[in-house]
Short mmCIF file of all heavy atoms in Angstrom, two decimals:
data_model
loop_
_atom_site.label_atom_id
_atom_site.label_comp_id
_atom_site.label_asym_id
_atom_site.label_seq_id
_atom_site.Cartn_x
_atom_site.Cartn_y
_atom_site.Cartn_z
N GLU A 271 86.55 76.77 118.06
CA GLU A 271 86.03 75.88 116.98
C GLU A 271 85.10 76.67 116.04
O GLU A 271 84.82 76.21 114.96
CB GLU A 271 85.35 74.67 117.56
CG GLU A 271 84.00 74.89 118.27
CD GLU A 271 84.15 75.50 119.64
OE1 GLU A 271 85.24 75.64 120.17
OE2 GLU A 271 83.11 75.88 120.22
N GLN A 272 84.63 77.83 116.52
CA GLN A 272 83.74 78.64 115.66
C GLN A 272 84.52 79.66 114.81
O GLN A 272 83.93 80.38 114.01
CB GLN A 272 82.75 79.42 116.55
CG GLN A 272 81.62 78.60 117.04
CD GLN A 272 80.80 79.37 118.02
OE1 GLN A 272 80.99 79.24 119.27
NE2 GLN A 272 79.84 80.16 117.55
N VAL A 273 85.86 79.69 115.03
CA VAL A 273 86.70 80.64 114.26
C VAL A 273 87.10 79.99 112.95
O VAL A 273 87.76 78.95 112.95
CB VAL A 273 87.94 81.07 115.09
CG1 VAL A 273 88.79 82.04 114.26
CG2 VAL A 273 87.53 81.71 116.40
N GLU A 274 86.73 80.64 111.82
CA GLU A 274 87.04 80.04 110.53
C GLU A 274 88.47 80.31 110.09
O GLU A 274 89.17 79.47 109.56
CB GLU A 274 86.06 80.58 109.48
CG GLU A 274 86.21 79.88 108.15
CD GLU A 274 85.09 80.27 107.17
OE1 GLU A 274 83.96 80.54 107.62
OE2 GLU A 274 85.39 80.32 105.94
N ASP A 275 88.91 81.57 110.34
CA ASP A 275 90.27 81.94 109.93
C ASP A 275 90.71 83.20 110.64
O ASP A 275 89.95 83.84 111.35
CB ASP A 275 90.34 82.12 108.40
CG ASP A 275 89.23 83.03 107.86
OD1 ASP A 275 88.62 83.74 108.65
OD2 ASP A 275 89.01 83.05 106.63
N LEU A 276 92.00 83.55 110.39
CA LEU A 276 92.55 84.75 110.99
C LEU A 276 93.31 85.48 109.90
O LEU A 276 94.08 84.87 109.14
CB LEU A 276 93.47 84.40 112.18
CG LEU A 276 94.18 85.56 112.88
CD1 LEU A 276 94.31 85.29 114.41
CD2 LEU A 276 95.59 85.86 112.32
N GLY A 277 93.15 86.80 109.85
CA GLY A 277 93.90 87.62 108.90
C GLY A 277 94.64 88.70 109.65
O GLY A 277 94.17 89.15 110.70
N ALA A 278 95.80 89.09 109.14
CA ALA A 278 96.56 90.15 109.82
C ALA A 278 97.11 91.13 108.79
O ALA A 278 97.61 90.74 107.72
CB ALA A 278 97.68 89.55 110.64
N GLY A 279 96.99 92.40 109.09
CA GLY A 279 97.58 93.46 108.28
C GLY A 279 98.80 93.98 109.00
O GLY A 279 98.74 94.35 110.19
N ALA A 280 99.94 94.05 108.28
CA ALA A 280 101.18 94.54 108.95
C ALA A 280 101.71 95.72 108.14
O ALA A 280 101.54 95.77 106.90
CB ALA A 280 102.20 93.42 108.97
N PRO A 281 102.34 96.70 108.84
CA PRO A 281 102.87 97.82 108.10
C PRO A 281 104.11 97.38 107.32
O PRO A 281 104.89 96.56 107.82
CB PRO A 281 103.25 98.80 109.20
CG PRO A 281 103.50 97.97 110.40
CD PRO A 281 102.60 96.74 110.28
N GLY A 282 104.28 97.90 106.16
CA GLY A 282 105.51 97.57 105.37
C GLY A 282 105.21 96.67 104.19
O GLY A 282 104.08 96.52 103.77
N THR A 283 106.27 96.07 103.62
CA THR A 283 106.12 95.26 102.43
C THR A 283 105.86 93.82 102.86
O THR A 283 106.61 93.26 103.66
CB THR A 283 107.43 95.31 101.57
OG1 THR A 283 107.78 96.65 101.43
CG2 THR A 283 107.21 94.63 100.23
N VAL A 284 104.76 93.26 102.36
CA VAL A 284 104.33 91.91 102.79
C VAL A 284 104.17 91.04 101.58
O VAL A 284 103.55 91.44 100.57
CB VAL A 284 103.02 92.01 103.60
CG1 VAL A 284 102.54 90.59 103.98
CG2 VAL A 284 103.15 92.89 104.81
N ASN A 285 104.67 89.84 101.67
CA ASN A 285 104.42 88.85 100.60
C ASN A 285 103.26 87.94 101.09
O ASN A 285 103.45 87.07 101.93
CB ASN A 285 105.69 88.01 100.39
CG ASN A 285 105.48 86.86 99.38
OD1 ASN A 285 104.36 86.46 99.12
ND2 ASN A 285 106.56 86.35 98.85
N PRO A 286 102.05 88.18 100.57
CA PRO A 286 100.91 87.44 101.06
C PRO A 286 100.90 86.00 100.66
O PRO A 286 100.30 85.15 101.30
CB PRO A 286 99.71 88.19 100.45
CG PRO A 286 100.26 88.85 99.24
CD PRO A 286 101.71 89.16 99.47
N ASP A 287 101.59 85.66 99.57
CA ASP A 287 101.63 84.29 99.05
C ASP A 287 102.44 83.42 99.99
O ASP A 287 102.07 82.28 100.31
CB ASP A 287 102.21 84.24 97.64
CG ASP A 287 101.39 85.08 96.70
OD1 ASP A 287 100.14 85.11 96.84
OD2 ASP A 287 101.99 85.78 95.85
N GLU A 288 103.56 83.94 100.52
CA GLU A 288 104.41 83.18 101.41
C GLU A 288 104.09 83.47 102.88
O GLU A 288 104.58 82.82 103.76
CB GLU A 288 105.89 83.54 101.19
CG GLU A 288 106.37 83.49 99.74
CD GLU A 288 106.86 82.11 99.36
OE1 GLU A 288 107.19 81.34 100.27
OE2 GLU A 288 106.88 81.79 98.15
N GLY A 289 103.31 84.55 103.12
CA GLY A 289 102.96 84.94 104.45
C GLY A 289 104.12 85.56 105.20
O GLY A 289 104.23 85.44 106.43
N ILE A 290 104.94 86.23 104.48
CA ILE A 290 106.15 86.80 105.07
C ILE A 290 106.13 88.33 105.05
O ILE A 290 105.73 88.94 104.04
CB ILE A 290 107.41 86.30 104.31
CG1 ILE A 290 107.65 84.85 104.62
CG2 ILE A 290 108.65 87.13 104.62
CD1 ILE A 290 108.65 84.18 103.71
N VAL A 291 106.51 88.95 106.16
CA VAL A 291 106.69 90.38 106.18
C VAL A 291 108.14 90.64 105.69
O VAL A 291 109.10 90.31 106.38
CB VAL A 291 106.50 91.01 107.57
CG1 VAL A 291 106.76 92.52 107.54
CG2 VAL A 291 105.05 90.72 108.03
N ILE A 292 108.26 91.14 104.46
CA ILE A 292 109.57 91.29 103.84
C ILE A 292 110.37 92.38 104.59
O ILE A 292 111.52 92.22 104.92
CB ILE A 292 109.45 91.64 102.35
CG1 ILE A 292 108.74 90.49 101.62
CG2 ILE A 292 110.82 91.92 101.73
CD1 ILE A 292 108.35 90.83 100.22
N HIS A 293 109.72 93.50 104.85
CA HIS A 293 110.36 94.60 105.57
C HIS A 293 109.33 95.51 106.20
O HIS A 293 108.42 95.97 105.52
CB HIS A 293 111.21 95.38 104.54
CG HIS A 293 112.00 96.49 105.23
ND1 HIS A 293 112.42 97.62 104.54
CD2 HIS A 293 112.44 96.62 106.47
CE1 HIS A 293 113.05 98.39 105.37
NE2 HIS A 293 113.09 97.82 106.52
N ALA A 294 109.42 95.72 107.50
CA ALA A 294 108.57 96.65 108.16
C ALA A 294 109.44 97.56 109.02
O ALA A 294 109.92 97.14 110.08
CB ALA A 294 107.53 95.93 109.02
N VAL A 295 109.68 98.79 108.56
CA VAL A 295 110.60 99.72 109.26
C VAL A 295 110.15 99.96 110.69
O VAL A 295 110.95 99.81 111.59
CB VAL A 295 110.67 101.09 108.53
CG1 VAL A 295 111.67 102.01 109.15
CG2 VAL A 295 110.94 100.89 107.05
N ASN A 296 108.85 100.26 110.88
CA ASN A 296 108.33 100.55 112.22
C ASN A 296 108.60 99.45 113.20
O ASN A 296 108.91 99.70 114.39
CB ASN A 296 106.80 100.65 112.17
CG ASN A 296 106.34 101.93 111.54
OD1 ASN A 296 107.17 102.81 111.26
ND2 ASN A 296 105.06 102.06 111.30
N LEU A 297 108.39 98.25 112.76
CA LEU A 297 108.54 97.08 113.67
C LEU A 297 109.99 96.54 113.76
O LEU A 297 110.29 95.78 114.66
CB LEU A 297 107.62 95.94 113.20
CG LEU A 297 106.12 96.28 113.03
CD1 LEU A 297 105.39 95.12 112.39
CD2 LEU A 297 105.50 96.61 114.38
N GLY A 298 110.80 96.99 112.80
CA GLY A 298 112.18 96.50 112.77
C GLY A 298 112.26 95.08 112.25
O GLY A 298 113.11 94.31 112.63
N TRP A 299 111.29 94.70 111.39
CA TRP A 299 111.24 93.33 110.89
C TRP A 299 111.83 93.20 109.49
O TRP A 299 111.59 94.07 108.64
CB TRP A 299 109.78 92.81 110.80
CG TRP A 299 109.09 92.61 112.11
CD1 TRP A 299 109.61 92.86 113.36
CD2 TRP A 299 107.78 92.04 112.30
NE1 TRP A 299 108.67 92.56 114.31
CE2 TRP A 299 107.54 92.05 113.69
CE3 TRP A 299 106.79 91.62 111.45
CZ2 TRP A 299 106.35 91.63 114.25
CZ3 TRP A 299 105.59 91.17 112.00
CH2 TRP A 299 105.38 91.17 113.37
N TRP A 300 112.57 92.15 109.29
CA TRP A 300 113.10 91.80 107.93
C TRP A 300 112.77 90.34 107.73
O TRP A 300 113.16 89.49 108.52
CB TRP A 300 114.61 91.99 107.86
CG TRP A 300 115.02 93.40 107.87
CD1 TRP A 300 115.36 94.19 108.93
CD2 TRP A 300 115.17 94.25 106.72
NE1 TRP A 300 115.69 95.45 108.54
CE2 TRP A 300 115.62 95.52 107.16
CE3 TRP A 300 115.01 94.05 105.32
CZ2 TRP A 300 115.88 96.57 106.32
CZ3 TRP A 300 115.27 95.12 104.46
CH2 TRP A 300 115.70 96.37 104.96
N ASP A 301 112.09 90.00 106.63
CA ASP A 301 111.78 88.60 106.31
C ASP A 301 111.27 87.82 107.48
O ASP A 301 111.78 86.74 107.78
CB ASP A 301 113.04 87.94 105.72
CG ASP A 301 113.41 88.53 104.37
OD1 ASP A 301 112.48 88.82 103.58
OD2 ASP A 301 114.58 88.68 104.08
N PHE A 302 110.26 88.36 108.13
CA PHE A 302 109.69 87.65 109.25
C PHE A 302 108.48 86.77 108.82
O PHE A 302 107.56 87.30 108.23
CB PHE A 302 109.28 88.62 110.36
CG PHE A 302 108.67 87.93 111.56
CD1 PHE A 302 109.43 87.13 112.37
CD2 PHE A 302 107.30 88.04 111.81
CE1 PHE A 302 108.85 86.45 113.45
CE2 PHE A 302 106.71 87.38 112.89
CZ PHE A 302 107.52 86.58 113.69
N PRO A 303 108.55 85.47 109.13
CA PRO A 303 107.45 84.57 108.69
C PRO A 303 106.22 84.69 109.55
O PRO A 303 105.94 83.81 110.40
CB PRO A 303 108.07 83.18 108.79
CG PRO A 303 109.13 83.30 109.81
CD PRO A 303 109.62 84.74 109.85
N LEU A 304 105.47 85.75 109.41
CA LEU A 304 104.35 86.09 110.31
C LEU A 304 103.29 84.98 110.26
O LEU A 304 102.79 84.54 111.30
CB LEU A 304 103.74 87.43 109.93
CG LEU A 304 102.53 87.92 110.72
CD1 LEU A 304 102.87 88.05 112.19
CD2 LEU A 304 102.03 89.27 110.19
N ARG A 305 102.94 84.52 109.09
CA ARG A 305 101.92 83.49 108.96
C ARG A 305 102.32 82.22 109.69
O ARG A 305 101.51 81.66 110.47
CB ARG A 305 101.59 83.17 107.51
CG ARG A 305 100.47 82.15 107.33
CD ARG A 305 99.96 82.07 105.94
NE ARG A 305 100.93 81.45 105.08
CZ ARG A 305 100.87 81.56 103.74
NH1 ARG A 305 99.91 82.25 103.15
NH2 ARG A 305 101.79 80.99 103.00
N GLU A 306 103.54 81.79 109.47
CA GLU A 306 104.03 80.57 110.10
C GLU A 306 104.04 80.70 111.66
O GLU A 306 103.60 79.78 112.37
CB GLU A 306 105.46 80.31 109.59
CG GLU A 306 106.04 78.98 109.92
CD GLU A 306 107.50 78.92 109.47
OE1 GLU A 306 107.79 79.23 108.29
OE2 GLU A 306 108.38 78.62 110.33
N GLU A 307 104.49 81.84 112.11
CA GLU A 307 104.57 82.04 113.57
C GLU A 307 103.20 82.04 114.22
O GLU A 307 102.98 81.41 115.25
CB GLU A 307 105.29 83.34 113.85
CG GLU A 307 105.72 83.58 115.28
CD GLU A 307 106.61 82.52 115.85
OE1 GLU A 307 107.29 81.79 115.08
OE2 GLU A 307 106.60 82.36 117.11
N LEU A 308 102.24 82.75 113.56
CA LEU A 308 100.88 82.83 114.11
C LEU A 308 100.22 81.43 114.05
O LEU A 308 99.57 80.98 115.04
CB LEU A 308 100.03 83.83 113.38
CG LEU A 308 100.38 85.31 113.61
CD1 LEU A 308 99.53 86.22 112.68
CD2 LEU A 308 100.13 85.73 115.09
N THR A 309 100.43 80.70 112.99
CA THR A 309 99.85 79.37 112.84
C THR A 309 100.40 78.47 113.95
O THR A 309 99.64 77.68 114.54
CB THR A 309 100.28 78.77 111.44
OG1 THR A 309 99.81 79.68 110.45
CG2 THR A 309 99.65 77.41 111.20
N ARG A 310 101.68 78.60 114.27
CA ARG A 310 102.30 77.73 115.31
C ARG A 310 101.67 78.06 116.69
O ARG A 310 101.46 77.16 117.51
CB ARG A 310 103.79 78.06 115.33
CG ARG A 310 104.61 77.11 116.16
CD ARG A 310 106.11 77.49 116.08
NE ARG A 310 106.40 78.74 116.74
CZ ARG A 310 106.53 78.90 118.05
NH1 ARG A 310 106.38 77.87 118.85
NH2 ARG A 310 106.80 80.08 118.58
N LEU A 311 101.35 79.34 116.93
CA LEU A 311 100.86 79.77 118.23
C LEU A 311 99.35 79.54 118.48
O LEU A 311 98.89 79.42 119.60
CB LEU A 311 101.17 81.24 118.50
CG LEU A 311 102.66 81.60 118.65
CD1 LEU A 311 102.81 83.12 118.60
CD2 LEU A 311 103.17 81.07 119.98
N LEU A 312 98.60 79.48 117.39
CA LEU A 312 97.13 79.33 117.51
C LEU A 312 96.78 77.98 118.12
O LEU A 312 97.41 76.97 117.78
CB LEU A 312 96.45 79.53 116.15
CG LEU A 312 96.39 80.96 115.65
CD1 LEU A 312 95.99 80.98 114.16
CD2 LEU A 312 95.43 81.81 116.47
N PRO A 313 95.76 77.95 118.98
CA PRO A 313 95.41 76.68 119.62
C PRO A 313 94.72 75.68 118.71
O PRO A 313 94.57 74.53 119.07
CB PRO A 313 94.42 77.12 120.75
CG PRO A 313 93.93 78.42 120.31
CD PRO A 313 94.99 79.06 119.48
N ARG A 314 94.30 76.14 117.53
CA ARG A 314 93.64 75.26 116.57
C ARG A 314 94.16 75.57 115.20
O ARG A 314 94.50 76.71 114.89
CB ARG A 314 92.13 75.50 116.63
CG ARG A 314 91.27 74.46 115.88
CD ARG A 314 89.78 74.70 116.19
NE ARG A 314 89.20 75.73 115.35
CZ ARG A 314 88.69 75.51 114.15
NH1 ARG A 314 88.71 74.32 113.64
NH2 ARG A 314 88.20 76.49 113.47
N GLU A 315 94.18 74.56 114.32
CA GLU A 315 94.74 74.84 112.97
C GLU A 315 93.66 75.47 112.12
O GLU A 315 92.63 74.87 111.78
CB GLU A 315 95.20 73.53 112.32
CG GLU A 315 96.23 73.80 111.24
CD GLU A 315 96.80 72.52 110.64
OE1 GLU A 315 97.18 71.65 111.44
OE2 GLU A 315 96.86 72.41 109.42
N ILE A 316 93.86 76.75 111.81
CA ILE A 316 92.94 77.48 110.90
C ILE A 316 93.77 78.21 109.88
O ILE A 316 94.96 78.46 110.11
CB ILE A 316 92.05 78.50 111.68
CG1 ILE A 316 92.92 79.42 112.58
CG2 ILE A 316 91.03 77.82 112.50
CD1 ILE A 316 92.18 80.60 113.15
N PRO A 317 93.20 78.54 108.72
CA PRO A 317 93.97 79.30 107.73
C PRO A 317 94.35 80.72 108.28
O PRO A 317 93.55 81.35 108.96
CB PRO A 317 92.98 79.47 106.57
CG PRO A 317 91.93 78.44 106.76
CD PRO A 317 91.84 78.23 108.26
N VAL A 318 95.57 81.13 108.02
CA VAL A 318 96.05 82.41 108.44
C VAL A 318 96.48 83.23 107.15
O VAL A 318 97.18 82.65 106.33
CB VAL A 318 97.25 82.32 109.41
CG1 VAL A 318 97.85 83.71 109.69
CG2 VAL A 318 96.83 81.68 110.72
N TYR A 319 95.98 84.42 107.05
CA TYR A 319 96.29 85.28 105.91
C TYR A 319 97.02 86.50 106.38
O TYR A 319 96.68 87.10 107.42
CB TYR A 319 95.03 85.67 105.15
CG TYR A 319 94.20 84.50 104.73
CD1 TYR A 319 93.12 84.06 105.53
CD2 TYR A 319 94.44 83.84 103.54
CE1 TYR A 319 92.33 83.01 105.11
CE2 TYR A 319 93.67 82.74 103.11
CZ TYR A 319 92.60 82.33 103.93
OH TYR A 319 91.82 81.27 103.57
N VAL A 320 98.02 86.97 105.64
CA VAL A 320 98.70 88.23 106.00
C VAL A 320 98.77 89.11 104.78
O VAL A 320 98.87 88.65 103.62
CB VAL A 320 100.08 88.02 106.63
CG1 VAL A 320 100.01 87.14 107.89
CG2 VAL A 320 101.06 87.47 105.66
N HIS A 321 98.77 90.43 105.04
CA HIS A 321 98.90 91.40 103.93
C HIS A 321 99.38 92.71 104.50
O HIS A 321 99.41 92.91 105.71
CB HIS A 321 97.56 91.54 103.21
CG HIS A 321 97.75 91.56 101.68
ND1 HIS A 321 98.58 92.43 101.01
CD2 HIS A 321 97.17 90.81 100.72
CE1 HIS A 321 98.51 92.18 99.75
NE2 HIS A 321 97.68 91.20 99.51
N ASN A 322 99.73 93.60 103.59
CA ASN A 322 100.11 94.98 103.99
C ASN A 322 98.89 95.70 104.60
O ASN A 322 97.77 95.53 104.13
CB ASN A 322 100.63 95.67 102.75
CG ASN A 322 100.66 97.17 102.88
OD1 ASN A 322 99.65 97.83 102.60
ND2 ASN A 322 101.73 97.73 103.33
N ASP A 323 99.09 96.54 105.58
CA ASP A 323 97.99 97.17 106.29
C ASP A 323 97.12 98.06 105.42
O ASP A 323 95.89 98.07 105.56
CB ASP A 323 98.47 97.92 107.54
CG ASP A 323 99.58 98.95 107.28
OD1 ASP A 323 99.99 99.07 106.09
OD2 ASP A 323 100.00 99.64 108.20
N ALA A 324 97.74 98.81 104.50
CA ALA A 324 96.91 99.70 103.65
C ALA A 324 96.07 98.90 102.69
O ALA A 324 94.91 99.23 102.41
CB ALA A 324 97.80 100.66 102.87
N ASN A 325 96.64 97.77 102.23
CA ASN A 325 95.84 96.90 101.33
C ASN A 325 94.72 96.22 102.07
O ASN A 325 93.64 96.03 101.54
CB ASN A 325 96.78 95.81 100.76
CG ASN A 325 97.80 96.36 99.80
OD1 ASN A 325 97.54 97.35 99.14
ND2 ASN A 325 98.95 95.75 99.72
N VAL A 326 94.97 95.87 103.33
CA VAL A 326 93.94 95.24 104.15
C VAL A 326 92.77 96.21 104.39
O VAL A 326 91.61 95.86 104.28
CB VAL A 326 94.58 94.77 105.47
CG1 VAL A 326 93.53 94.54 106.54
CG2 VAL A 326 95.40 93.51 105.23
N ALA A 327 93.14 97.47 104.69
CA ALA A 327 92.08 98.49 104.92
C ALA A 327 91.31 98.67 103.64
O ALA A 327 90.05 98.85 103.68
CB ALA A 327 92.74 99.82 105.36
N ALA A 328 91.97 98.66 102.50
CA ALA A 328 91.29 98.80 101.22
C ALA A 328 90.31 97.64 100.98
O ALA A 328 89.21 97.82 100.55
CB ALA A 328 92.29 98.90 100.05
N ALA A 329 90.76 96.45 101.37
CA ALA A 329 89.92 95.27 101.20
C ALA A 329 88.65 95.40 102.08
O ALA A 329 87.58 95.06 101.67
CB ALA A 329 90.69 94.02 101.61
N GLY A 330 88.81 95.95 103.28
CA GLY A 330 87.67 96.19 104.17
C GLY A 330 86.65 97.13 103.54
O GLY A 330 85.48 96.83 103.46
N GLU A 331 87.15 98.27 103.01
CA GLU A 331 86.25 99.24 102.41
C GLU A 331 85.58 98.61 101.16
O GLU A 331 84.44 98.90 100.86
CB GLU A 331 87.03 100.50 101.98
CG GLU A 331 87.43 101.38 103.17
CD GLU A 331 86.29 102.06 103.89
OE1 GLU A 331 85.21 102.21 103.31
OE2 GLU A 331 86.47 102.42 105.06
N TYR A 332 86.35 97.80 100.44
CA TYR A 332 85.83 97.21 99.22
C TYR A 332 84.77 96.14 99.50
O TYR A 332 83.74 96.06 98.84
CB TYR A 332 87.02 96.57 98.43
CG TYR A 332 86.64 95.55 97.44
CD1 TYR A 332 86.04 95.87 96.23
CD2 TYR A 332 86.88 94.20 97.75
CE1 TYR A 332 85.71 94.93 95.32
CE2 TYR A 332 86.51 93.24 96.81
CZ TYR A 332 85.92 93.56 95.59
OH TYR A 332 85.55 92.60 94.74
N LEU A 333 84.99 95.33 100.56
CA LEU A 333 84.04 94.25 100.85
C LEU A 333 82.80 94.71 101.60
O LEU A 333 81.70 94.28 101.29
CB LEU A 333 84.73 93.15 101.65
CG LEU A 333 85.74 92.30 100.88
CD1 LEU A 333 86.56 91.45 101.83
CD2 LEU A 333 85.02 91.41 99.90
N VAL A 334 82.96 95.61 102.54
CA VAL A 334 81.81 95.97 103.35
C VAL A 334 81.62 97.47 103.59
O VAL A 334 80.68 97.89 104.24
CB VAL A 334 81.84 95.25 104.73
CG1 VAL A 334 81.62 93.79 104.60
CG2 VAL A 334 83.10 95.56 105.50
#
Side-chain angles (χ1 to χ4, degrees):
E271 72 284 352
Q272 283 172 265
V273 179
E274 187 171 327
D275 51 14
L276 178 145
T283 310
V284 178
N285 175 341
D287 303 322
E288 310 272 340
I290 288 168
V291 177
I292 299 170
H293 183 206
V295 184
N296 286 353
L297 304 173
W299 291 4
W300 289 91
D301 292 323
F302 180 68
L304 180 59
R305 183 168 69 197
E306 190 185 308
E307 191 59 23
L308 289 174
T309 304
R310 192 179 67 79
L311 291 168
L312 286 167
R314 191 171 83 86
E315 203 175 314
I316 52 170
V318 173
Y319 304 95
V320 302
H321 224 304
N322 160 274
D323 55 358
N325 291 331
V326 161
E331 289 291 339
Y332 160 75
L333 286 168
V334 292

